[in-house]
Amino acid sequence: MSPPAASVSNDDLRARCNAILQEEEILREGGGKIGQERQRKRGRLPARERIAHLLDRGSGFFEIGLWAAYKMYEQWGSVPAAGAVAGIGRVAGIPCMIIANDATVKAGAFFPQTAKKLIRAQRIAFESALPIIYLVDSSGVFLPMQDEIFPDEDDFGRIFRNNSVISASGIPQFAAIMGNCVAGGAYLPVLCDKVLMTEGSGLYLAGPSLVQAAIGEVADAEELGGARMHAEVSGTVDFYEKDDPSCLKRLRSLVSHLPEAETAKKEGAKQKAAGPAKKPEAVYDLASLDGQKQYDARDLLASIIDAGSLDEYKADYGKTLVTTYARIGGHSVGIVANQRHQVRTKKAGIQMGGVIYADSADKAARFVMDCNQTGLPIIFFQDVTGFMVGRDAEQSGIIRSGAKLVSAVSNSVVPKITIVVGGSFGAGNYALCGKAYDPRFILAWPNARYAVMGAAQASDTVFSVLAKSRDRGDKKASPEELEQLRAKVKETYEEQTDIRYGAARGWLDAIIQPHETRAVLIELLGYVSRPMPQARFHMGVVQV
């Protein structure tokens, strides 16, 4: 007796479903065990292991485009999943679109369907307002098919156009370069909000061989586009990471700073905020009344932020300003702080602490933009003597860079809190959110001072002007008179730079004790995180 037709149909369906599952398992293997072992020999994880490290433990992953390029490019061999993995999963409780090149498949090269898959993932993320994480490990366009990949509106270039549009819409994008990132593909990470790069990876428009062929220059991969170079010289990379696990851990930490993460935390079990790494009283070992003592800004922050929450941005670039994400009492914030000890850079050599150079201004401007992109409050710790001056500084574009930072701070819409912990002189006051730049609160330590310039510089400047006048034959002044005038100017400046002088004139909201900084900030962050009221005129109907 034959089984019923419905039963046969059901068995066939199950068989097909099982067959599909089995094929999908094969597709998920990418380049297979050989390709995966090749990745590991290079000190890199396969794409799916990277994603597994990134996702919240026990959370699912809704994959998109697993079947992309299925049997489409057999003349070039197998291209499982179009050499990329894309899907939605939770990172720090936040649903994110994750797009990862699979370097075990044709070195992660882009085929036509690879581009279309990524564009589709970007569109889903855009329409669903999902943050996007790109794990970049690609040799670029598959050159034998460049005519099908390069020019059209749904081809390779559309990905970078989407990067820009998505960024402008306020959707966060993170890019981690964890292998190769060459030619036109180099634009993808650089168009993202935050760029991470692992040691041994490469980011360049043209590799060493192409550079030599094009312009005859001989350069090794590291100096041309290595992670250390981009972290210390070009400033393109925001976070330099030693290896894949370190990079993925950093990514999770950065995603956890998004405002949505706060909601996700409240929905889950409430966790008590960590205390600071150092006792609040430790700040007294750093500051000095005369402002001459050098210290590391990170030591200052260690007494204020939650222990283990510091994620420093562009740590090896623009070193006279420290820019970092952190938490204070569980509140995620961005921090811009003057570095008060002397630093050495690969590009400019020695730089003085407390001075804003062109590279540090550029870094801080981008950081302020990024905090606005993700809605993070910004805390400015001012201990600044001003912008660097002199021939080298002017030729480096210090005015342009300073204007960029001033513009970013001026247009910033997230809550800002400024604390003057030492000096606040000249345009440094403006660039780091002085009173004229609408901080929600502006506070100062008792030792703080601010003015156009320090008393010593002011008296020397006036002396120089008067001395030149005397040399030109104007009203004569004796050396004794000039010295008396210099002393008087210095005395006046010292009186006006006393922080009580500024507090009396409403230039700041309060003078706080240094060891109470953390407690005060926790309280103020609770205030500034409240949504601003949307004002409208409303009375109802009244007799007129």
Side-chain angles (χ1 to χ4, degrees):
M1 178 177 171
S2 300
S7 175
V8 173
S9 177
N10 186 274
D11 288 343
D12 288 345
L13 178 59
R14 286 180 181 276
R16 171 58 64 88
C17 289
N18 288 331
I20 290 290
L21 286 174
Q22 290 171 15
E23 279 198 273
E24 287 184 343
E25 286 302 310
I26 295 171
L27 290 173
R28 290 190 179 97
E29 291 179 1
K33 291 183 179 179
I34 295 175
Q36 292 173 17
E37 285 304 313
R38 186 167 59 245
Q39 276 286 92
R40 291 192 178 91
K41 284 180 181 177
R42 293 171 176 165
R44 300 170 187 169
L45 296 173
R48 292 181 184 277
E49 287 188 28
R50 287 171 172 168
I51 292 172
H53 277 69
L54 190 59
L55 294 174
D56 293 348
R57 187 173 297 176
S59 66
F61 181 67
F62 183 74
E63 188 163 352
I64 296 163
L66 176 59
W67 292 84
Y70 181 67
K71 293 187 176 181
M72 285 184 66
Y73 309 118
E74 292 183 330
Q75 71 272 34
W76 302 110
S78 178
V79 189
V85 183
I88 301 168
R90 288 189 176 270
V91 180
I94 300 174
C96 297
M97 177 65 74
I98 302 170
I99 301 171
N101 298 114
D102 187 350
T104 69
V105 179
K106 308 295 183 186
F110 275 74
F111 285 71
Q113 287 302 313
T114 316
K116 289 173 174 57
K117 177 174 178 173
L118 265 66
I119 290 166
R120 174 62 180 159
Q122 287 179 320
R123 179 170 181 172
I124 291 170
F126 179 81
E127 293 180 349
S128 305
L130 296 173
I132 306 178
I133 300 171
Y134 302 90
L135 306 181
V136 183
D137 192 352
S138 169
S139 59
V141 166
F142 186 65
L143 290 177
M145 300 188 71
Q146 65 87 25
D147 61 324
E148 297 181 45
I149 243 179
F150 171 69
D152 215 338
E153 64 182 14
D154 60 347
D155 286 341
F156 198 51
R158 188 73 171 189
I159 295 170
F160 317 133
R161 175 264 184 196
N162 288 349
N163 285 139
S164 303
V165 171
I166 290 166
S167 183
S169 73
I171 296 173
Q173 295 180 97
F174 306 81
I177 302 163
M178 308 175 78
N180 289 317
C181 184
V182 300
Y187 289 112
L188 184 149
V190 180
L191 286 166
C192 292
D193 304 346
K194 299 176 180 69
V195 184
L196 300 83
M197 191 171 180
T198 58
E199 185 178 310
S201 295
L203 171 67
Y204 28 66
L205 290 176
S209 299
L210 182 55
V211 167
Q212 186 172 3
I215 63 173
E217 183 180 85
V218 178
D220 64 41
E222 176 55 36
E223 66 179 344
L224 193 62
R228 181 65 71 182
M229 187 282 286
H230 280 304
E232 296 182 352
V233 181
S234 77
T236 301
V237 169
D238 304 324
F239 296 92
Y240 171 88
E241 301 297 338
K242 181 174 178 54
D243 51 27
D244 282 15
S246 169
C247 186
L248 295 165
K249 182 179 178 182
R250 178 79 70 183
L251 270 173
R252 283 186 55 80
S253 183
L254 293 172
V255 173
S256 75
H257 287 301
L258 296 177
E260 290 177 68
E262 299 293 337
T263 305
K265 283 182 200 170
K266 291 173 185 176
E267 291 174 353
K270 289 187 177 180
Q271 295 181 346
K272 185 178 179 181
K278 294 185 178 181
K279 293 181 179 179
E281 288 77 12
V283 296
Y284 292 104
D285 297 328
L286 305 175
S288 63
L289 190 60
D290 63 3
Q292 299 302 308
K293 191 174 180 180
Q294 295 190 15
Y295 62 86
D296 192 323
R298 300 173 192 87
D299 291 335
L300 170 68
L301 298 180
S303 298
I304 296 170
I305 67 174
D306 298 351
S309 71
L310 185 139
D311 287 305
E312 190 170 347
Y313 177 91
K314 291 189 187 293
D316 298 312
Y317 186 77
K319 293 181 179 181
T320 63
L321 283 176
V322 172
T323 51
T324 185
Y325 308 97
R327 292 189 188 82
I328 301 177
H331 297 278
S332 287
V333 298
I335 293 173
V336 180
N338 292 107
Q339 179 58 276
R340 284 298 300 180
H341 68 60
Q342 194 177 78
V343 300
R344 179 183 291 275
T345 69
K346 287 278 183 74
K347 197 172 182 179
I350 297 294
Q351 292 183 337
M352 294 183 288
V355 179
I356 301 176
Y357 291 77
D359 55 356
S360 50
D362 284 341
K363 174 174 83 169
R366 179 174 162 87
F367 182 77
V368 168
M369 295 177 211
D370 188 67
C371 288
N372 277 269
Q373 184 81 332
T374 52
L376 281 181
I378 308 172
I379 300 174
F380 295 85
F381 288 93
Q382 287 194 9
D383 195 353
V384 57
T385 56
F387 282 83
M388 189 58 188
V389 297
R391 182 188 60 205
D392 290 345
E394 298 293 352
Q395 291 180 0
S396 75
I398 188 68
I399 298 174
R400 182 183 66 247
S401 296
K404 192 187 304 179
L405 178 53
V406 168
S407 179
V409 173
S410 300
N411 288 288
S412 177
V413 295
V414 296
K416 302 183 291 288
I417 298 174
T418 300
I419 302 181
V420 185
V421 300
S424 179
F425 295 107
N429 171 277
Y430 300 161
L432 300 181
C433 200
K435 184 67 182 295
Y437 293 81
D438 297 330
R440 271 314 160 85
F441 298 94
I442 181 166
L443 315 170
W445 285 2
N447 58 303
R449 297 176 179 273
Y450 60 87
V452 168
M453 62 181 73
Q457 294 95 326
S459 56
D460 287 344
T461 300
V462 171
F463 175 84
S464 176
V465 170
L466 292 176
K468 287 180 179 178
S469 295
R470 184 189 63 179
D471 292 340
R472 286 197 305 265
D474 295 344
K475 184 179 179 180
K476 300 291 183 181
S478 67
E480 293 77 15
E481 289 175 327
L482 288 173
E483 196 57 44
Q484 288 175 1
L485 184 57
R486 174 164 34 191
K488 185 172 179 58
V489 169
K490 186 174 181 180
E491 181 183 349
T492 301
Y493 259 80
E494 285 178 341
E495 177 188 349
Q496 293 178 353
T497 58
D498 188 309
I499 201 62
R500 292 168 292 188
Y501 186 95
R505 288 156 179 77
W507 299 349
L508 53 112
D509 300 311
I511 300 173
I512 63 171
Q513 296 301 304
H515 69 277
E516 295 177 349
T517 302
R518 173 179 165 85
V520 170
L521 280 174
I522 291 173
E523 183 178 2
L524 296 185
L525 285 167
Y527 299 155
V528 302
S529 62
R530 294 169 59 87
M532 293 183 67
Q534 298 298 312
R536 68 187 184 99
F537 183 73
H538 180 71
M539 291 178 61
V541 179
V542 296
Q543 192 69 24
V544 295

